[in-house]
Structure formats: C-alpha cells, structure tokens
C-alpha cells in the first residue's frame, strides 16, 4: 500500500482532445446531412481557438477570468457555433448547436494508448486516483465512465464553481479527497498532480502545496531547465506519457 494520491487532469492528459473534437464535429455534421472533410475540421478547429482566445480563456491565471469562466465558456462555444453556421449554411440556432456539442462530447472518450493499462496498474498497486478538470461534471463523468472502478472522485470547474488554477478549486479538491474513505488524513504534499497544462495544472497544484508532474506528449520540454524560467518552480517532474510515471522513484 502507498499513502500517495494521484490526481489527473482529463483533456490532453488522459483523453485525446483533438480526436474528441473531430468526433464531435463529425457527429454534428452527420446530424445535419453533411460529411466533415479534413478542411472543414481544420476550419472548425481554427474557429474554436479564435473564439476561445477572444473569450479570454487563454488568461486562465487571471482571477477575473476565473470568476467568469463558465460565462466565458458559453460565450466561446456560442461564437464558435456562429462561425460554423456562417460557412456551412447549417440553420439550427447556435444555442441548439452548443447543446449538441455538449451531448456529443460526452460520448467522446478516446484515451491515449497507454492510459487504460497505467490507471489499472496504479490502482492495483494501491494508489488512490482522482480526476480534476476544467469542464462540466456530467460530461466529464460520462467520458470517464470506463474508469469508474479505479477512480475515487472527479472534480470539475462546474462543480467547484471556479476553474483550475484557482486556489478555491484546489481547496475543494483537497476537501473531496479528505472526504473519501481511507483518505481522511491526506495532506497536499502527499498528492501528485499530473497534467498537460503548465498554467492550469502545474501552477495551481504547486501553489496548493502538491507535487506536480507535467505530461509533455509532444516533447516540447526535454528537461526542467527548458521550461520558461518563471514557470519552472511549479513543475517537479516531466514525463512524455503516463507509462513514464512508473519510472519516477518518488512516486
Ligand atoms: Mg488538459
């Protein structure tokens, strides 16, 4: 047994977000009698990033952005749908398309290849596993249903009322962990937060007193020294995939 708690971000840590978004658009287009071409997907992807940026979602460390995260999220999704309506001729309202997006997203759960085996191995080895995501509780719970037997809890920004890296999100997360059977005395320093985002995951978890592990699937950072200087202190380990977690001796 171990007294370590492992907390995983969901999108782009466990789930392949691009594959999910592709699947969502295919489903929406199919629903409107259209076939999604590669060009369509790239166009939607670009619209999505643009509207996300315009809604201020890239400045997630800004407390004002955190306080209005849910409104900004809805605004970004609606603007994205307007953009897609403009060029496809789809006449369904942006609000209805946004609802479809949510429904189809809850059915998209392509994990990276090693994820399932690693989560089961960690569970078998006695680690307690939690998930922490900026997203909607029902959607993320549905997408993680396949891991229901090994996961002890999921906290989303919707449930916490604030996204990562907000301090209140991490307080809520610690409370959720401590309410879980067998985890009552767990302290932040016993927790390792594993995620792909320096800003949402590493900075927030580090500020909350947790250990941190950056999942760098694209190999952008070969070592800690290659991280931007102002962000370096928030990252303790870097792995390229979850299999590499097993090689961390302090795990
Ligand atoms: Mg992520």
């Amino acid at each position: 047994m171990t007294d370590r708690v492992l907390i995983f971000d969901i999108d782009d840590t466990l789930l392949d977000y691009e594959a999910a978004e592709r699947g969502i658009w295919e489903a929406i287009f199919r629903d409107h009698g259209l076939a999604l071409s590669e060009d369509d997907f790239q166009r939607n992807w670009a619209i999505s990033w643009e509207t996300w940026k315009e809604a201020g979602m890239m400045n997630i460390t800004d407390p004002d952005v955190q306080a209005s995260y849910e409104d900004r999220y809805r605004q970004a999704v609606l603007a994205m749908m307007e953009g897609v309506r403009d060029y496809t001729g789809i006449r369904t309202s942006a609000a209805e398309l946004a609802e479809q997006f949510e429904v189809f997203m809850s059915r998209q759960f392509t994990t990276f290849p090693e994820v399932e085996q690693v989560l089961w191995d960690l569970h078998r080895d006695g680690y307690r596993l939690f998930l922490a995501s900026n997203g909607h509780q029902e959607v993320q719970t549905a997408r993680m249903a396949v891991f229901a037997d090994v996961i002890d809890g999921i906290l989303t920004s919707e449930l916490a009322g604030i996204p990562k890296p907000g301090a209140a999100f991490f307080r809520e997360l610690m409370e959720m962990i401590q309410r879980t059977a067998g985890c009552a005395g767990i302290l932040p320093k016993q927790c390792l937060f594993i995620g792909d985002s320096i800003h949402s995951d590493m900075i927030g978890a580090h500020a909350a007193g947790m250990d941190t592990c950056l999942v760098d699937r694209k190999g952008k950072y070969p070592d800690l020294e290659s991280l931007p200087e102002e962000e370096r202190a928030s990252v303790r380990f870097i792995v390229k995939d979850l299999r590499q977690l097993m090689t961390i001796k302090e795990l």
Side-chain angles (χ1 to χ4, degrees):
M1 271 312 261
T2 166
D3 57 0
R4 266 292 216 189
V5 168
L6 306 181
I7 306 157
F8 294 87
D9 162 57
I10 297 180
D11 283 296
D12 277 340
T13 296
L14 305 181
L15 296 184
D16 183 338
Y17 188 78
E18 187 174 326
E21 188 146 326
R22 191 181 287 275
I24 296 165
W25 287 122
E26 277 169 356
I28 291 180
F29 272 47
R30 199 181 307 125
D31 210 57
H32 292 86
L34 301 170
L36 183 82
S37 68
E38 182 58 26
D39 277 357
D40 293 333
F41 175 68
Q42 292 303 335
R43 195 161 178 174
N44 293 7
W45 185 256
I47 293 172
S48 162
W49 274 107
E50 196 51 43
T51 53
W52 196 255
K53 253 189 288 176
E54 272 170 17
M57 303 293 266
M58 309 304 274
N59 307 319
I60 194 70
T61 50
D62 179 343
D64 290 339
V65 172
Q66 291 169 15
S68 50
Y69 182 79
E70 192 63 25
D71 287 344
R72 288 170 188 270
Y73 177 84
R74 288 182 200 288
Q75 179 195 325
V77 174
L78 285 174
M80 171 174 78
M81 291 311 177
E82 291 295 357
V84 173
R85 286 176 88 243
D86 278 350
Y87 89 87
T88 56
I90 292 175
R91 291 282 62 98
T92 305
S93 73
E96 270 180 74
L97 288 172
E99 272 175 44
Q100 274 200 316
F101 193 86
E102 185 104 343
V103 170
F104 288 131
M105 181 188 255
S106 65
R107 299 175 192 163
Q108 293 296 328
F109 41 81
T110 306
T111 55
F112 292 105
E114 81 285 6
V115 167
E116 190 170 353
Q117 186 68 52
V118 171
L119 291 188
W120 279 94
D121 286 351
L122 291 168
H123 172 70
R124 186 204 53 215
D125 291 348
Y127 291 94
R128 306 302 295 266
L129 310 178
F130 291 83
L131 306 179
S133 166
N134 286 349
H136 290 160
Q137 191 71 18
E138 205 180 316
V139 172
Q140 296 300 55
T141 303
R143 299 171 82 207
M144 290 286 99
V146 64
F147 300 125
D149 290 342
V150 300
I151 296 297
D152 288 291
I154 303 181
L155 183 65
T156 60
S157 53
E158 182 189 39
L159 194 63
I162 186 169
K164 301 172 287 181
F169 181 96
F170 286 89
R171 275 198 300 275
E172 191 69 36
L173 181 58
M174 277 317 301
E175 283 171 21
M176 170 186 269
I177 292 168
Q178 289 161 347
R179 280 196 307 268
T180 303
C183 294
I186 292 288
L187 300 169
K189 64 178 183 190
Q190 291 167 268
C191 300
L192 176 66
F193 198 104
I194 300 137
D196 70 294
S197 166
I198 295 177
H199 288 137
S200 313
D201 300 324
M202 302 295 100
I203 289 178
H206 175 69
M210 296 175 178
D211 253 350
T212 56
C213 178
L214 181 68
V215 182
D216 177 32
R217 290 188 181 274
K218 293 191 172 138
K220 218 168 139 190
Y221 305 111
D223 49 36
L224 292 171
E225 282 65 43
S226 57
L227 289 162
E229 206 181 331
E230 63 280 13
E231 290 153 3
R232 202 172 296 160
S234 67
V235 182
R236 180 154 183 224
F237 306 107
I238 301 177
V239 294
K240 279 189 149 171
D241 59 41
L242 299 194
R243 173 73 45 206
Q244 272 191 3
L245 270 180
M246 307 301 212
T247 66
I248 296 177
K249 62 178 188 312
E250 299 91 335
L251 193 73

